[in-house]
Each structure stands twice: as C-alpha cells, then as structure tokens.
C-alpha cells in the first residue's frame, strides 16, 4: 500500500468520524431522548474523532489530503445544521483556522525533536483545536431549541421546601395579619375579599380555591414572583447557557486531552507494529552561531 493510499485512509476516517460526531450533536440538541448509553456512545465517538485528528495531523504530509478531508468534514456540518448559516460559517472558519494552526504546530514540534515524544507533539496543537471545536458546539447549542425552552420554563418551588423555609417566619407573618388571625392555616377567603381574589386571578393568574389556606396563597405568590422577576433577563439565558456549556467542555478537556493523547499513542504503537507507519531517522543540517 502506497503512502498516499494510507493518508487517504486516515483522511477518510477523519471524515467518517466527523460526520458521526455532527449527527450526534444534532441528536443531542434537536432530538433529545438521551439515555446513559447514548452519552457513553457520544463520548466514545468524540474520543475516536480526537484520536483520528491527532493521527491525521501528524501522519498526513499531503496538504491536499489533510486539509481537504477536514474541509469535507466541515461541509458535512451543513447537512445537520443550517438554520443560522452566517454564524455557523464564522464558527467553522475559526475551527478550520485552528485546525491549520494545530497541524502546523504539531509538524513543527515533530521536526525539532531528536527522539519523538508524542505527548509533546500532540500537546502542542490538540488543545487549540478543541477550543475552536467547543466554540462550534456552543454555537450549535445556542441556536438549538433547548436554551429557549429552558428560558420559558416555569420555575416551581417544591412544596416541602417552601414549608420548611417559611416555618421559622410564620410567627412574624401572623403578627402583620389582621387581628384574630393566629396562624397561616386559615382559609385565604376569610382574609381576602372576593374582589381581591378576582383581581389576583385576572391580573396575576393566581387562582385561589375556597378551601385553600393563607399559606397556600403565599406559596402561589412566591412562585409567581419567582417567575416574573427574571423576565427582563430571560433573553440572556440562552447565551449564558451556551457560555456555560463552553466552559464546562473546557474543564472536561483537562481530562479529555491526556486521554486522547494516550490512546493516540497506543494506536500509533499498533500501527507501527502492523507496519502501517514507521519511524525513520533523518540527518538534518542546522545553523549554529560560534565565535
């Protein structure tokens, strides 16, 4: 098998794994219904693509094969995500630039080493590439339905939590109530007038039933305030979630990068044993300055 054929095989592996990774992203952010097995499969897929990229950036010398395969992978992105082409294009340009930079850094590190240290070689470029990839993932999440759904989701305080929190303040609250009201278990209709009850329903969508107590009313009022208060800031929730996802992925990368490099090293050893690739010693001329 010729060197070019081997490089094409590596390039095809990058394309195939990249396509599956885009599909997984689409499934996660647009389909949902995720199980533990799905997350394990997705993590494994991400790891395999990382290994493929590491091997490709190091072993593929033909720039047409290297950059062409990655460009095809980026092109496949459009099959799954095309709702915001301008922003996605900007993200993909950043990712491609990071890939070119990471590849150049990896090859430069390989050239200056006397005895190959794969850890140092891949460590030079992989983190930069992953950072750009995480930006694309955060963009996909930002434009998916999930952040908007979370922003619209109603927040409800668990009743048990509310009862526990309000209990120490019951005496303080009853002191401010009309004379004769000694606890919060009195029916709310005995404190509020029919007009006030109707106004609560019409203006604030707080409906009080006849047998509901004053404590029930306070509980509903607390939930209402909890959902109304952040209204002016809800538009910032999607971008906040996207940034949080990006930062979370960056934290995960502290584990992912060493693991990817370790597995890439093991795959490299297997490829060397199978004679798919080889290590050669070269004599290089270098410039020195002397007196």
């Amino acid at each position: 098998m010729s060197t070019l054929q081997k490089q094409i095989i590596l390039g095809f592996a990058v394309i195939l794994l990249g396509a599956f990774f885009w599909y997984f992203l689409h499934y996660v952010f647009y389909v949902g219904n995720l199980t533990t097995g799905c997350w394990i499969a997705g993590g494994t897929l991400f790891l395999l693509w990382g290994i493929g990229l590491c091997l490709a950036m190091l072993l593929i010398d033909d720039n047409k094969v290297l950059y062409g395969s990655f460009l095809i992978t980026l092109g496949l992105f459009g099959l799954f995500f095309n709702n915001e082409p301008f922003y996605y294009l900007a993200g993909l340009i950043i990712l491609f630039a990071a890939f070119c930079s990471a590849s150049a850094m990896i090859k430069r590190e390989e050239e200056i080493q006397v005895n190959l240290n794969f850890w140092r070689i891949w460590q030079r470029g992989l983190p930069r590439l992953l950072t750009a990839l995480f930006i694309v993932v955060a963009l996909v999440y930002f434009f998916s339905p999930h952040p908007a759904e979370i922003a619209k989701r109603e927040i409800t305080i668990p009743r048990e939590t509310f009862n526990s929190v309000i209990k120490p303040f019951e005496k303080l609250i009853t002191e401010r109530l009309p004379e004769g009201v000694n606890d919060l278990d009195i029916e709310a209709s005995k404190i509020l007038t029919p007009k006030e009850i109707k106004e609560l329903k019409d203006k604030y969508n707080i409906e009080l039933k006849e047998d509901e107590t004053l404590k029930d009313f306070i509980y509903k009022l607390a939930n209402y305030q909890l959902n109304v208060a952040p209204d002016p800031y809800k538009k910032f929730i999607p971008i906040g979630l996207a940034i949080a996802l990006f930062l979370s992925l960056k934290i995960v990368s502290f584990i992912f990068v060493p693991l990817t490099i370790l597995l890439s090293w093991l795959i490299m050893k297997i490829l060397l044993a199978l004679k798919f690739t080889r290590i050669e010693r070269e004599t290089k001329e270098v410039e020195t300055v002397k007196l």
Side-chain angles (χ1 to χ4, degrees), residues 13-19 21-22 43-55 70 73-74 95 126 129 133 256 260:
V14 168
I15 294 171
L16 186 63
L17 291 169
F21 179 72
W22 299 141
T44 303
L45 179 62
F46 189 29
L47 194 60
L48 289 174
W49 194 33
I51 294 170
L53 288 170
C54 282
L55 295 175
F70 197 72
T73 306
L74 297 184
L95 180 56
L126 185 59
L129 177 60
L133 180 59
F256 181 80
T260 302

Side-chain angles (χ1 to χ4, degrees), residues 12-265:
F12 180 74
V14 168
I15 294 171
L16 186 63
L17 291 169
F20 278 117
F21 179 72
W22 299 141
Y23 169 78
F24 176 74
L25 274 188
H26 184 271
Y27 186 83
V28 168
F29 295 145
Y30 285 85
V31 179
N33 192 25
L34 301 175
T35 61
T36 303
C38 179
W39 283 113
I40 293 174
T44 303
L45 179 62
F46 189 29
L47 194 60
L48 289 174
W49 194 33
I51 294 170
L53 288 170
C54 282
L55 295 175
M57 289 187 291
L58 178 61
L59 297 176
I60 298 179
D61 294 325
D62 191 321
N63 287 338
K64 292 180 181 178
V65 177
L66 178 62
Y67 299 128
S69 60
F70 197 72
L71 281 172
I72 292 173
T73 306
L74 297 184
L76 293 174
F77 177 91
L79 296 178
F80 303 98
F81 311 102
N82 48 32
N83 53 322
E84 292 290 342
F86 175 78
Y87 294 103
Y88 287 151
L89 180 60
L92 294 178
I93 290 173
I94 293 173
L95 180 56
F96 182 69
F99 178 77
C100 295
S101 175
S103 300
M105 293 175 70
I106 284 173
K107 285 185 166 54
R108 192 179 305 118
E109 182 66 28
E110 179 200 11
E111 289 174 358
I112 65 175
Q113 289 191 11
V114 177
N115 296 311
L116 293 179
N117 183 325
F118 293 112
W119 171 269
R120 289 189 60 185
I121 290 173
W122 283 318
Q123 181 67 25
R124 292 284 291 174
L126 185 59
R128 177 174 298 191
L129 177 60
L130 287 180
T131 298
L133 180 59
F134 294 157
I135 291 174
V136 173
V137 172
L139 272 175
V140 171
Y141 178 69
F142 177 73
F143 291 114
S144 72
H146 279 255
E149 289 174 0
I150 292 174
K152 294 177 182 177
R153 193 175 297 169
E154 185 176 340
I155 304 170
T156 303
I157 305 171
R159 187 57 192 259
E160 296 78 9
T161 303
F162 173 80
N163 290 339
S164 301
V165 171
I166 200 174
K167 191 171 184 179
F169 302 98
E170 286 188 8
K171 185 177 180 181
L172 180 63
I173 295 172
T174 53
E175 289 176 355
R176 299 176 179 273
L177 294 175
E179 189 176 348
V181 180
N182 299 320
D183 58 63
L184 300 180
D185 292 324
I186 188 173
E187 290 183 7
S189 58
K190 294 182 179 180
I191 304 296
L192 301 173
T193 65
K195 182 180 179 181
E196 289 172 332
I197 293 175
K198 186 176 184 301
E199 186 178 352
L200 285 170
K201 183 179 180 181
D202 295 340
K203 288 187 177 181
Y204 308 107
N205 199 28
I206 299 176
E207 185 177 359
L208 286 175
K209 299 177 182 178
E210 291 184 4
D211 58 341
E212 287 187 319
T213 65
L214 191 58
K215 186 183 290 186
D216 295 327
F217 166 65
I218 297 173
Y219 172 69
K220 290 185 175 182
L221 184 63
N223 280 317
Y224 171 79
Q225 290 294 338
L226 187 63
N227 284 279
V228 169
D231 270 353
Y233 310 101
K234 281 188 176 181
K235 61 183 179 181
F236 299 110
I237 290 178
I239 191 169
L241 291 173
I243 293 172
L245 175 62
F246 172 78
L247 295 176
S248 300
L249 291 173
K250 283 293 292 180
I251 293 172
V252 172
S253 70
F254 290 114
I255 299 173
F256 181 80
V257 169
L259 183 59
T260 302
I261 292 176
L262 174 62
L263 293 177
S264 298
W265 176 79

